[in-house]
Structures are given as C-alpha cells and as structure tokens.
Amino acid sequence: METNKLIIFAKQPELGKVKTRLSVSIGEYETLKIYRELLEITKSVTSNIDVDKVVYWNHLTNILFNGFVTGYRAEVQEEGDLGWKMERAFQKEFQSKPNKILIIGTDCPFLTKEIILNAYQSLEQSDFVIGPARDGGYYLLGMKEFSPYLFHSIPWSTKDVLSLTMNVIQNHNKTVTLLEELYDIDAIDDLKYWKGQN
C-alpha cells in the first residue's frame, strides 16, 4: 500500500512568539488572533487528506492546539536554523520508508487540498516539488528520498531561498516541479492582500 506523509511546521499560538514582523504593525494580540486563524485554515485544508500527518511544533505544551489532535501526530522541531529543523524532520520521517513526503508551514491561507494532492502527484514525474512563495521562499517542499543537501548553505528567511534551492537541485542533476506561486503571511502588506481577497 502506498504511504505518503505530510509534515506541518507550526509554532504554539503564544502571545508575542508568533509572526513578530506582523506584530510590529498590528500588535501582539491581533497577531495572535491572525496566527490562530492560520492554524485553523491549515487544519481545515489538511484534515481530509489521506496521508500520515505529523505536526512538528516549536515545543510541546500540556494542551496542544485543539485543531491538531485527532489524525495528527505531534513531534518537536530540533534546535537550530530552519534548514536544520527541516532536514532533521525529513530524516526522521523517512526512517519508516514512505513513498513521498511533503512539508508545509502554517502561514499560507491560500493553500488548498487540491494543491497538496497535486504536489504528491507531481512527485511521480519529478525528484522534487516546490510551491514558490511571493517573497522568494517556498510554502511547500516535497521529495521521494531523503535529500539533506537541499537545506545546506541557504540563507533562510530571505528573498533568495527559492532561487538558491533551485540551483542546488540543478547542480545535483535532479528534476523539480514548481506549483503555483502563493502569498505567505509575514508582514502587513501580505495581511492586507489576504484580507482584501475575502
């Protein structure tokens, strides 16, 4: 039977600890409300996808965010930069030999179930699949085998993440499918765009 996995990187919804760039513009309380909304959207989009779903939290609390309980495993992100955290998560999840693994965050309200299913399908033809974000990063990454080199020497949280990742893939003579470009919600302009769509 084909087994696929979905890794979701998330932070606990705690005041002053989420979306700090956004909180400079709208305050910590409003930012926390927005982040909880993003968590709910992520849960809604992923809950009916028939894969092994695991949420990697920045840390565990006694009471987990109630959206990610039934149907989701909980793990803790490793200490280190984003690349190291993702690399270790992929390494751990590939130990059970799944066919394909995708990773997403919780800050893309435009992500849909169809995009995620399409990403798994894309890995039938490509070594990797990437969902480009408008800020130069990516909202989704998928692979069929553990490929730690994707996470090395990348300046995370910069506009060069996607282009440098594409260079690494090309240098390893691998193939990649790019999905549609979407907005992540990191700063006030992103928030205005999102809410302007509703």
Side-chain angles (χ1 to χ4, degrees):
M1 188 178 99
E2 179 178 290
T3 57
N4 294 325
K5 290 190 179 188
L6 178 65
I7 298 170
I8 301 168
F9 261 36
K11 287 186 175 181
Q12 296 292 345
E14 297 168 333
L15 188 66
K17 302 288 183 65
V18 295
K19 295 290 165 200
T20 52
R21 278 170 57 198
L22 185 59
S23 68
V24 171
S25 300
I26 64 173
E28 292 179 348
Y29 285 97
E30 190 64 25
T31 299
L32 181 59
K33 188 171 140 192
I34 292 294
Y35 188 70
R36 284 183 170 277
E37 187 178 353
L38 289 167
L39 286 175
E40 289 285 1
I41 290 169
T42 305
K43 182 206 71 169
S44 175
V45 167
T46 60
S47 60
N48 292 321
I49 298 176
D50 186 20
V51 294
D52 181 16
K53 297 181 282 281
V54 52
V55 182
Y56 274 75
W57 295 99
N58 58 330
H59 64 88
L60 293 180
T61 61
N62 290 332
I63 303 173
L64 284 175
F65 173 73
N66 63 3
F68 294 124
V69 179
T70 305
Y72 298 83
R73 287 189 292 116
E75 296 284 352
V76 181
Q77 299 170 19
E78 293 266 352
E79 292 293 325
D81 70 12
L82 179 59
W84 176 247
K85 291 176 180 181
M86 289 195 290
E87 178 181 336
R88 295 290 286 162
F90 271 102
Q91 183 178 34
K92 183 169 185 174
E93 296 307 322
F94 267 116
Q95 287 174 356
S96 60
K97 300 190 174 9
N99 282 15
K100 307 163 190 150
I101 299 181
L102 302 181
I103 190 168
I104 61 172
T106 55
D107 51 3
C108 183
F110 303 101
L111 187 60
T112 64
K113 177 180 177 180
E114 290 70 31
I115 291 173
I116 294 173
L117 294 177
N118 183 36
Y120 283 116
Q121 190 64 37
S122 297
L123 287 172
E124 295 290 338
Q125 292 84 32
S126 299
D127 298 306
F128 301 106
V129 59
I130 294 178
R134 290 293 297 269
D135 61 4
Y138 51 77
Y139 61 84
L140 177 152
L141 172 70
M143 62 184 75
K144 295 181 283 193
E145 58 184 34
F146 180 50
S147 307
Y149 52 81
L150 282 192
F151 307 110
H152 299 168
S153 303
I154 301 291
W156 302 103
S157 301
T158 71
K159 61 180 175 48
D160 300 319
V161 171
L162 177 63
S163 60
L164 291 175
T165 303
M166 295 291 288
N167 288 345
V168 170
I169 292 172
Q170 187 175 28
N171 290 341
H172 281 80
N173 296 312
K174 299 290 187 179
T175 58
V176 59
T177 296
L178 288 179
L179 305 173
E180 62 186 282
E181 188 177 74
L182 299 177
Y183 273 89
D184 277 340
I185 307 304
D186 291 313
I188 187 64
D189 288 344
D190 306 323
L191 182 63
K192 287 177 178 176
Y193 178 81
W194 173 27
K195 293 305 182 179
Q197 300 294 298
N198 295 339

